[in-house]
Amino acid sequence: MGTVGIKSKVQDSVEYIRKFTKSTPQISIVLGTGMYSLADLLEDVISVDYSKIPHFPTSTVESHKSKLIFGRLNGIDVVLTAGRFHYYEGYSMEEVTYYIHVLKSLGVNTSILTSASGGLNPHYREGELVMITDHINLFSENPLRGQNDDELGPRFPDMLNSYPSELRDIAVKVSKNLNIPLKEGIYLGWQGPSLETPAEYKMANLLGADLVGMSTIPEVIINKYRDIKTLAFSIVSNVCYPPSAITETTINEVIEVVNNNAKQLQKLVFALIKKI
Ligand code: HPA
């Protein structure tokens, strides 16, 4: 538990990945539910299966593939994580966030996170694209719980500016240039996998959240800890507030809404990558 002991594992993982690529991407793009098509835009692709990388957990959720994909996007070297590790799958928080330490060792200093989420802001519509500006962490466990390796990051990471405003400002400019509507909002995360009751959605709204989801936050904490800048985008897959607007939601509907609206996010990320 904690980050003590991670360095030697990361060395093993990196050594294996280096058999396939010498790439040193500075930007990672973490593909959330239904976002896999972003990988289609990559050139000079080299994929490495998670299952073969020493110490990597294997993603168990069907809607995700399970590999690191290296390539160039709009001329820039990037690494995509196709398949994310969620706490609700039964992984420990260390497993959920392990990949970040590996990517940091490969050269990553900026991470673009994508996700699907429930919309709590009554002005949000299904399929809308939202940039996360801050979060409320209601996960039951923190990925940094345990003994800390001070060489990796501070014992008590500050969480101010976890979604750096200088990057968000660039994203807003790029979205305006492309005429892509981009809302902004606060993401509340907890473990799932059950969705929320109407009373819980109402509580999350009362707490000040605009979005609710089951990912992102553990990764943002480790990004901050490892000095990796985060940009996070979420597609509203289902409207959760006001309570009268809530309808039954299945994973297939979530994936369908994201698939139908992922093009806008792809366009934004494609253009943005050159500016950050
Ligand atoms: N709740 C939590 N996570 C989600 C939701 C939701 O309604 N929709 C997509 N991810």
Side-chain angles (χ1 to χ4, degrees), residues 33 115-120 187-188 190 192-196 201 211-215 234-240 249 251 254 258:
T33 306
S115 64
S117 57
L120 297 167
Y187 179 100
L188 180 147
W190 40 30
S194 51
L195 271 69
E196 294 70 27
Y201 283 129
L211 298 166
V212 61
M214 308 171 191
S215 65
S234 201
I235 291 178
V236 176
S237 58
N238 48 303
V239 169
C240 312
T249 302
I251 181 67
V254 168
V258 173

Side-chain angles (χ1 to χ4, degrees), residues 242-258:
S244 60
I246 303 171
T247 55
E248 228 173 274
T249 302
T250 65
I251 181 67
N252 289 334
E253 284 162 356
V254 168
I255 292 170
E256 195 183 328
V257 172
V258 173

